[in-house]
Amino acid sequence: MTIDKELTKVNPAAYAPYRNPREYITSWTDKIWIARGLGHIHDHYSPDVKVHTAYGETYGMDNVISNSLQKMVAFPNRGGGHDDVVWEKRGDDGFISSHRVLNNATHTGHWTYGPPTGKDWVNRSVAHCLVKDNLVVEEWVIRDEFAVLEHLGLDPYKVAADLAKKSPVLGTTINRENSSITALDSIDNVLARGISGPRPDIGRAECETVLALFDRVWNQKFFDEVPEHCADNIVCQTVRMRRVMGINPYQMETMELLSFIPDGKLEVKDICVHDSEDLGLRVATIWLLKGTYSGSPVYGPTNNAPINILGSSHFEFRNGKIIREWRIYDEIAILAQILRNDSVNNN
């Protein structure tokens, strides 16, 4: 499918002095994190930026700089590969950028998880940034933190128990009623408008394929319909650096995720499409899966804890079908919600 370039054209002032939104995102990310130009955050973030995570949300540039400084000290050799930037126009003066990164680092400084272990870790993350007038005004960040703890040899249950009492971002108790992940607005028609604002009508066929996959397969449990949406050699790369290939393994990966939250319902909160000569057409999503921990005891004994999973999936298309999915969510945040429920009920 050919996308109307006029509908995708972004005002160059929104990403100046870079050549395009992709270069805008990757260049300043390297400038801040690789060259350690932390002060450049002032050049690229709005003073009142809002940052959403699986644990809560922060407001203002001071929090961004403080959290970034601490992370740089804990992981001074932190590198990362820019897996992809899926971007799409938002209004006359901005764009949404879904930046998928393969991170790696060595734990040589103090961090939320404790003193240095000296061990290496690798994970994937997505930074879904809304850029207006050349500044990031809102960001949704999703990280595979379980992979980090696994590589560092730390107990994820102990870390999650600590987070259940106090969020590392906010320093306050996780509150399901008021947290950012439950307060995300209900979306009437994500093809027209998501949490990042109104979007152009592009890539409709591919977007509808993604939405049908989430609705029919994830929500309605028609796992036999996966071949209708995905190529026979579908590859899914997901949390803890797992990789599966083929229809049957893809079905099982999805079923296993849903098995511990069998009443879960997923809603796509944002969607964007980009088609490029080098990578083809990709669809990026932010989604929220809500239900109760009432199925398979994947994370210990089930306790009917309310669970909210903030996730992101990037889909790559070929010949009208999904050939790759990158699926990222935070299992430590899931554990924290389960353990917090036990703590509340035992008090």
Side-chain angles (χ1 to χ4, degrees), residues 154-215:
L154 300 177
D155 183 352
Y157 288 85
K158 180 181 184 304
V159 171
D162 291 340
L163 299 187
K165 302 172 185 175
K166 185 176 69 174
S167 164
V169 176
L170 298 179
T172 56
T173 302
I174 296 172
N175 184 320
R176 296 191 195 87
E177 288 72 32
N178 297 315
S179 71
S180 63
I181 56 176
T182 55
L184 290 176
D185 294 338
S186 179
I187 305 298
D188 294 329
N189 179 9
V190 74
L191 292 181
R193 183 188 183 99
I195 52 177
S196 65
R199 62 177 300 272
D201 187 9
I202 59 174
R204 178 171 283 270
E206 289 79 7
C207 289
E208 288 178 343
T209 294
V210 168
L211 294 179
L213 177 72
F214 281 133
D215 180 48

Side-chain angles (χ1 to χ4, degrees), residues 4 29 80 102 137 184 196 231 241 247 258 270-271 280 299 306 308:
D4 187 344
T29 299
L102 179 67
V137 298
L184 290 176
S196 65
M241 304 305 292
I247 295 296
L258 298 173
D270 212 44
I271 195 164
Y299 301 106
N308 299 282

Side-chain angles (χ1 to χ4, degrees), residues 87-105:
W87 59 269
E88 187 179 85
K89 181 178 181 179
R90 286 295 178 271
D92 296 330
D93 58 355
F95 59 93
I96 186 71
S97 158
S98 197
H99 182 201
R100 191 178 74 248
V101 181
L102 179 67
N103 305 287
N104 62 277

Side-chain angles (χ1 to χ4, degrees), residues 137-155:
V137 298
E138 193 163 7
E139 183 176 16
W140 295 264
V141 182
I142 301 164
R143 304 182 181 96
D144 176 11
E145 287 299 294
F146 201 109
V148 176
L149 295 174
E150 193 171 50
H151 296 164
L152 297 183
L154 300 177
D155 183 352

